[in-house]
Each structure stands twice: as C-alpha cells, then as structure tokens.
C-alpha cells in the first residue's frame, strides 16, 4: 500500500480510499520512520530492558522522528541495530555508556 497525498493505493495501484489530489507512487521506497525518545539522562530501572527497548525502537529505522538518545548501554551491547539510521530530526545524546564503540 502507498499513502500519497491523502490517497491509499493498493499494490497494483488501485485506489483504496478517496482523496482530493492523488499522486502516482514514487519509484523509490519511502524511508522507515520511528519515534525517538525524551528520557535525557534518566537512569533506566532495568538496564536489560532499556537496551532491548532501544534495539526494538531503532532496528531498521532510517529516520528518527524526535531524539536519538543512546544512554547506559552495557559494555557488550551490539549496536548494529543503529546502522540504517540516516536522519535524526531532534537531538543526538550519547552519554553514560560502557560500550566502547557504536556501529
């Protein structure tokens, strides 16, 4: 499905809902957008669930709508889940981490 100009089109291009102005599907895929966080330096109650939450939020994400806050990551954290991020529309905070590098 494509959401373009208020129109919803199926995979074959047929109109699934009404709209005032319709645009043809773009030849390139739309970026995957995810929601950022606003925790600042608040210490998480569970470091394990904090890491899993970050991984779940940003896995496959290309555009972070809001802030990208990478805090309190453990030394063995695998940060490859960040590899697809191309744009952050808020601020980037990298602080209080034990991990040696971000990938």
């Amino acid at each position: 499905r494509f959401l373009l100009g208020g129109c919803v089109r199926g995979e074959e291009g047929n109109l699934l809902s009404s709209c005032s102005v319709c645009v043809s599907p773009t030849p390139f895929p739309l970026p995957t957008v995810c929601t950022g966080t606003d925790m600042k330096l608040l210490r998480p109650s569970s470091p394990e669930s904090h890491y899993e939450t970050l991984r779940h939020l940003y896995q496959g994400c290309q555009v972070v709508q809001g802030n990208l806050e990478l805090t309190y990551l453990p030394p063995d954290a695998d940060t490859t889940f960040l590899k697809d991020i191309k744009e952050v529309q808020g601020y980037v905070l990298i602080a209080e981490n034990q991990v040696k590098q971000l990938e």
Side-chain angles (χ1 to χ4, degrees):
R1 292 185 173 183
F2 302 97
L3 177 61
L4 299 163
C7 306
V8 178
R9 292 189 177 271
E11 292 187 24
E12 285 138 28
N14 55 324
L15 191 60
L16 299 178
S17 70
S18 62
C19 60
S20 57
V21 177
C22 290
V23 180
S24 298
T26 57
F28 53 88
L30 297 174
T32 305
V33 178
C34 59
T35 303
T37 58
D38 192 25
M39 298 293 293
K40 301 189 179 37
L41 291 175
L42 186 63
R43 187 174 293 277
S45 58
S46 167
E48 295 81 19
S49 66
H50 176 66
Y51 168 75
E52 287 303 318
T53 299
L54 291 175
R55 190 177 61 75
H56 179 74
L57 278 173
Y58 301 124
Q59 183 77 46
C61 179
Q62 294 174 317
V63 177
V64 179
Q65 199 170 44
N67 309 319
L68 174 61
E69 299 174 326
L70 303 172
T71 59
Y72 303 104
L73 294 174
D76 60 342
D78 176 5
T79 59
T80 56
F81 63 88
L82 302 168
K83 68 181 172 45
D84 295 323
I85 296 175
K86 304 206 179 339
E87 178 183 340
V88 177
Q89 296 176 345
Y91 63 78
V92 175
L93 173 64
I94 302 172
E96 302 296 329
N97 293 301
Q98 295 176 0
V99 68
K100 296 202 185 304
Q101 68 182 21
L102 299 176
E103 298 183 39

